[in-house]
């Protein structure tokens, strides 16, 4: 059974850092990514990473502040979030795709990140 379990969310102040983790089980994935959804807004793309880690992508709003990485030995993807802003407040979801460039097939349950000003 495939599972994606996020952790690492919490309540922080503006300017602080957090690292989110997403542990995958059941199989390995080609593409992995992070999305977020703020109250009253649609889910939006945050970051993605390919199998080798050689190709990463970021939303303009997080470029230079967030870094996505993955550890194949642990089947885990991370999102290092620095210089957090109140507008980063959202539920963050991990997503995983079985094949390259074919979208995401599995989603985690989400972890709340709240940034106070």
């Amino acid at each position: 059974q495939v599972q994606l379990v996020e952790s690492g969310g919490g309540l922080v102040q503006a300017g602080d850092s957090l690292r989110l983790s997403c542990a995958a089980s059941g199989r390995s994935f080609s593409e992995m990514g992070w999305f977020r959804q703020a109250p009253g807004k649609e889910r939006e793309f945050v970051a993605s990473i390919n199998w080798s880690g050689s190709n990463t992508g970021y939303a303009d709003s997080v470029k230079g502040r967030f870094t996505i990485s993955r550890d194949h030995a642990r089947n885990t993807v991370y999102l290092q979030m620095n210089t957090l802003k109140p507008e980063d407040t959202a539920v963050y979801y991990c997503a995983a795709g079985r094949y390259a460039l074919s979208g995401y097939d599995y989603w985690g349950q989400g972890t709340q990140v709240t940034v106070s000003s």
Side-chain angles (χ1 to χ4, degrees):
Q1 183 180 358
V2 173
Q3 274 193 313
L4 301 177
V5 179
E6 300 103 331
S7 61
L11 172 63
V12 297
Q13 292 187 331
D16 286 350
S17 298
L18 275 177
R19 188 177 80 156
L20 304 183
S21 300
C22 172
S25 59
R27 64 165 292 150
S28 58
F29 297 96
S30 178
E31 301 279 334
M32 298 198 76
W34 288 95
F35 290 72
R36 67 187 182 186
Q37 187 167 20
K41 295 188 177 181
E42 293 188 353
R43 188 174 298 189
E44 64 176 2
F45 167 78
V46 175
S48 63
I49 188 167
N50 67 345
W51 170 261
S52 67
S54 62
N55 188 19
T56 58
Y58 298 93
D60 287 343
S61 58
V62 307
K63 277 181 184 176
R65 299 188 298 123
F66 291 10
T67 302
I68 189 171
S69 61
R70 67 190 300 173
D71 181 339
H72 285 293
R74 291 179 169 81
N75 207 11
T76 297
V77 65
Y78 304 97
L79 185 68
Q80 177 67 42
M81 306 186 295
N82 298 330
T83 319
L84 282 162
K85 304 176 181 180
E87 50 264 44
D88 294 319
T89 295
V91 177
Y92 283 71
Y93 297 91
C94 174
R98 292 174 291 172
Y99 309 110
L101 304 177
S102 295
Y104 296 101
D105 305 294
Y106 301 95
W107 295 82
Q109 81 288 350
T111 185
Q112 176 70 47
V113 172
T114 303
V115 184
S116 64
S117 57

